[in-house]
Structures are given as structure tokens and as C-alpha cells.
Amino acid sequence: MKRSYQEDQKSSDGSKNKFARLERPESKLQTRPSSLFKGSGVFPYFRKPTEIGSLSLDIKRNFYNDRSQLKHYISPKDIYNVRFDLTKGYHNFIEKDENSEEYINDILKWISCNREKFLLEDEKQKSDEEIREIRNLHTDFVCWRGLLTKLLCTPFENRDGWRIAVTLFKGTLYMCEFDTESRKRQKQEMSERQKEMTYWGWKFEQYVTADKPGGVPSTGEAVNNCEAFCTVVRSRLEKHSLLFSGEVDAIDEQAKESCKYVEFKTTRQLDNYRQERNFIKFKLIKWWAQSFLVGIPTIICGYRDDDGVVHSLEKMETLKIPQRAKEERDGWDPVVCFNFLDKFLSHVKRTCTKDDAQTVYLFEWTPPGEITCTVQNPGSRFQFLPQWYTENG
């Protein structure tokens, strides 16, 4: 991929809701074949993500408009020779309540605390009282980074669908992901082994992070996935201005890059070509999309065995990952990913035209079909903008 970022100066699962109604007969978008989104083969304009803030969540999921939960990367002396037992402490795992509906509330809380970051130059000259009345964010889309990651992977995804609710409010399109019925079943039917393997990723982070630069990892403490540090970034894809937030695993103070954030991942050690091919085709696309979106330059991968023991680490450069896919037969293409995202966002703008906090447009997709859209009646379970935000935000 010759182009990466451009700098600022350059310009469903098929389930039915009986209370829903089709907005328009044309509210469908094709996702196959992926060649539909190849275009001229040139990477679309994507402005380099700029961090404009951050937020932290404590163990009780309380929101803080600060960087208090940011962890620091502590590199092992020899990344090619480690022994991290990821099974340790599993039965003491303090797990986030997955049944708690958080929607995009934490992003909205951050917006409410940082209204001044959305003001135009002429608006900054107004009185404090006048500024409090300004509700326009001058931003097209607001969402979590994970939602955009799923959209980028859609042209090459053959298993997991998605369900995205969209509300147009004061000129901004807010997007929130909801579990599909299929995803709900997967969560309910997870085996104990699957649950433990999910824990391994969180435990890996504990082995390579500390609360302060140069600190010592506290691997004896109970692991929890409740605490979080999230970056808030601005970017633009073609004509679409974006504000989104994503969780960041740690910062590497020794990194030479301007963005010093790092992402941690684990995967089974690759023993043959078939395993490596599947790793590149199905897993690396998600890793790349997730880090590329917020400008994280480095991914630290821990290679583990079947017993959950990591024996070596690899530092991957995010911008070089697509080349590995390009070298594979039927590999994924970052140009297709971003062209598809551009087309989807344009489709959302054309479809979601009623500016009303209680109106929800529900986009659903089950691979390899078309993306459909229905409008939900007021008060549906997909309504996600809270009253405290729409009345006082």
C-alpha cells in the first residue's frame, strides 16, 4: 500500500422486527463481490487521525475525562524468549458485565465535557451563554472505533454479520452497534475453554504493562477488563468528517514514532503455511484496521502454544501489514476496505434524513448478502441517544 495517511493540509442475521418499517425501497447496499469497491486501485483520501482528547474508565466503569488509566509498555529483555503463562489467575478474573448496555454513552460524556473543541472560529468569540446554546458538532459521524473496524472488514467477511443503529441529531449522524441474534447465541453458548481463551488476551497485557514508565508488571494481581483508556480522534474519509474513540492498550515512551501507542494481541504459534495463510486472511485484517484507524503504529503480538503459554513476541508495523495480505492468493485489499467504508457512509447520509433524536435507522447485514435498512418506531430497543445528552448535551 503506497499511501497510508494523508495530512490535514490535503484536501444481519436476517431477524425481523415487527415494529419496523422500510424507509425506502432503495435502502439497500451490495457488499459482493469485493471488486465493486476496487475503484482505480488508489487508496482514498483518509486524513491522518488526530487525537483531540482521551477518556478513562475505572473498575466500576465510571467515566473520567482524563488519561488516568493509560498503561505503559514494559518490553521483556528478550522478546524471542519469554514464558508468559496466560492461564494464571483465570478464576479470579474480574469481568466486565457484558449485559450492561453502555451504547456510546462514554463518547457522549466526553463530548459534553469538551464542547469547546467543536466550536468554529467565529463561535469562539461568542459569550459563554451563547456557546452553551450551540449544539452543532460540525461533524458528520460519531461512533466507537470498533464499529468502523467491522465496516472496513465487511467486503472480506464471510461469517459474522452486524447490526448498526444510526440517529441523525443536530446535523451529526451517531452510530451504535448492537449484537445480532447470532452473536447473542455465540456469547450464551461459549464453552469454559472459549471463555478462558478470551481471558488469555487480557492476561497477556498484564505481563507487558505497568502503571508508570519503567515500572514492573504486576502479574500477581487479579486481571480485570473493566478499566480502560480510550483515545478520541478526529479524521476524514473523503467527504465524511469523523469523530470516534477506541481503547488503547498502552503507550511506549521509548518509541520513535510521533504516536507512541501500542496494541497487544495474542495468537497461536504458526507451525505451517496453512496456519499462516489463515492468520493473514482472517485475523490480520482486523488487527490492521483496528490500529490503522486511530494511528497506532505498532502491534505487539504474543505467540502462544495450546496450553496458553507465550514463548515469543513480535513487533509488527501497522503500515506494513497490508503487504503481507497482498502476497497471498485471494488476500484482502486495504483500498477495497476503505472504498467500501466511504460508500457505506455515503449510503447512510442518503438514507438517514430525519433529524430527530428518537428516530433510529437500523442497518443490518448477514454475509454475503445486501445491507438492509429499516426505521424503528419511537421507543424501540435500538434507541440509544440518552435524554440527558439530547436535552443538555
Side-chain angles (χ1 to χ4, degrees):
M1 183 175 64
K2 292 184 179 180
R3 289 172 64 189
S4 52
Y5 299 114
Q6 295 183 335
E7 300 296 340
D8 291 358
Q9 64 267 25
K10 297 180 182 178
S11 173
S12 152
D13 54 12
S15 62
K16 301 295 183 181
N17 180 348
K18 65 180 180 180
F19 298 111
R21 59 186 184 278
L22 276 175
E23 170 70 354
R24 297 172 180 167
E26 68 270 26
S27 291
K28 293 184 178 182
L29 183 67
Q30 286 185 307
T31 63
R32 296 293 189 273
S34 61
S35 57
L36 284 172
F37 310 101
K38 184 69 175 179
S40 62
V42 176
F43 200 88
Y45 171 67
F46 181 60
R47 190 175 67 198
K48 188 174 182 178
T50 302
E51 183 176 62
I52 61 170
S54 54
L55 63 92
S56 293
L57 303 175
D58 66 15
I59 198 167
K60 294 183 179 179
R61 302 294 285 180
N62 293 317
F63 168 90
Y64 296 90
N65 181 33
D66 61 26
R67 299 170 68 84
S68 58
Q69 291 295 337
L70 179 59
K71 302 293 184 182
H72 296 265
Y73 173 54
I74 307 299
S75 177
K77 291 182 179 180
D78 182 359
I79 65 172
Y80 303 107
N81 183 24
V82 299
R83 182 177 174 78
F84 297 158
D85 186 350
L86 305 184
T87 67
K88 284 187 175 181
Y90 171 57
H91 295 292
N92 296 321
F93 183 32
I94 303 171
E95 196 169 4
K96 180 177 69 174
D97 182 6
E98 293 293 344
N99 295 318
S100 175
E101 299 284 9
E102 297 181 342
Y103 306 117
I104 61 170
N105 288 354
D106 292 316
I107 302 177
L108 302 181
K109 291 173 184 176
W110 182 89
I111 291 173
S112 297
C113 293
N114 295 275
R115 283 284 173 178
E116 74 282 355
K117 295 182 183 290
F118 299 91
L119 297 176
L120 300 179
E121 286 303 315
D122 62 322
E123 293 175 337
K124 294 178 182 178
Q125 312 306 318
K126 297 179 181 294
S127 67
D128 291 343
E129 185 175 347
E130 288 175 317
I131 288 177
R132 281 194 292 271
E133 294 300 316
I134 298 175
R135 309 292 288 280
N136 196 323
L137 300 182
H138 308 292
T139 303
D140 294 334
F141 293 93
V142 169
C143 63
W144 283 111
R145 183 262 315 270
L147 182 151
L148 297 178
T149 299
K150 283 201 172 179
L151 289 172
L152 285 176
C153 298
T154 294
F156 300 98
E157 178 61 57
N158 294 311
R159 186 181 65 176
D160 298 325
W162 45 252
R163 179 184 275 169
I164 296 173
V166 181
T167 291
L168 177 62
F169 176 65
K170 301 296 183 182
T172 294
L173 290 151
Y174 295 84
M175 302 194 294
C176 180
E177 184 183 0
F178 284 79
D179 280 344
T180 62
E181 297 306 317
S182 174
R183 180 59 182 147
K184 289 179 182 177
R185 287 194 298 272
Q186 289 176 17
K187 287 182 177 180
Q188 293 170 355
E189 296 170 0
M190 282 183 71
S191 66
E192 193 61 29
R193 170 71 171 177
Q194 289 173 320
K195 292 177 182 178
E196 183 179 9
M197 291 178 71
T198 300
Y199 165 82
W200 291 354
W202 299 106
K203 184 64 179 180
F204 176 63
E205 292 183 23
Q206 194 182 62
Y207 275 102
V208 290
T209 60
D211 292 333
K212 59 183 180 180
V216 178
S218 301
T219 58
E221 296 181 0
V223 174
N224 83 80
N225 67 348
C226 305
E227 297 172 331
F229 168 80
C230 300
T231 181
V232 181
V233 303
R234 272 192 179 283
S235 186
R236 174 177 288 272
L237 173 59
E238 293 293 342
K239 297 179 180 179
H240 314 297
S241 58
L242 306 165
L243 181 133
F244 51 96
S245 180
E247 187 169 351
V248 172
D249 291 337
I251 188 170
D252 181 4
E253 300 287 1
Q254 307 302 316
K256 298 178 180 179
E257 295 86 357
S258 56
C259 177
K260 299 181 183 300
Y261 292 148
V262 292
E263 179 73 21
F264 301 128
K265 298 293 185 183
T266 63
T267 193
R268 189 191 182 281
Q269 55 198 29
L270 307 175
D271 298 326
N272 54 57
Y273 171 72
R274 182 183 62 82
Q275 291 176 357
E276 184 171 359
R277 185 173 185 275
N278 287 337
F279 169 68
I280 293 171
K281 188 173 183 179
F282 300 113
K283 191 170 282 189
L284 267 191
I285 183 175
K286 296 180 175 67
W287 291 12
W288 164 79
Q290 183 183 40
S291 290
F292 185 80
L293 277 168
V294 293
I296 294 177
T298 306
I299 299 171
I300 308 296
C301 175
Y303 290 102
R304 58 163 181 80
D305 58 26
D306 289 331
D307 295 321
V309 178
V310 171
H311 296 282
S312 65
L313 276 60
E314 178 186 3
K315 294 184 75 170
M316 299 180 180
E317 293 182 45
T318 302
L319 295 182
K320 291 184 178 180
I321 288 177
Q323 183 60 37
R324 296 177 67 173
K326 187 177 181 179
E327 294 168 354
E328 292 295 325
R329 179 172 55 85
D330 300 326
W332 50 272
D333 184 345
V335 172
V336 170
C337 296
F338 268 86
N339 277 338
F340 170 77
L341 178 58
D342 173 41
K343 293 291 191 300
F344 176 78
L345 296 179
S346 295
H347 178 65
V348 170
K349 283 182 175 178
R350 289 192 303 269
T351 306
C352 307
T353 56
K354 185 176 181 181
D355 196 314
D356 172 49
Q358 296 191 29
T359 298
V360 176
Y361 297 80
L362 187 66
F363 293 84
E364 298 181 273
W365 177 68
T366 301
E370 297 175 318
I371 296 171
T372 62
C373 178
T374 54
V375 179
Q376 307 300 298
N377 282 342
S380 81
R381 65 188 180 92
F382 297 108
Q383 191 170 319
F384 62 91
L385 287 184
Q387 191 173 2
W388 59 260
Y389 180 78
T390 57
E391 291 187 353
N392 305 305

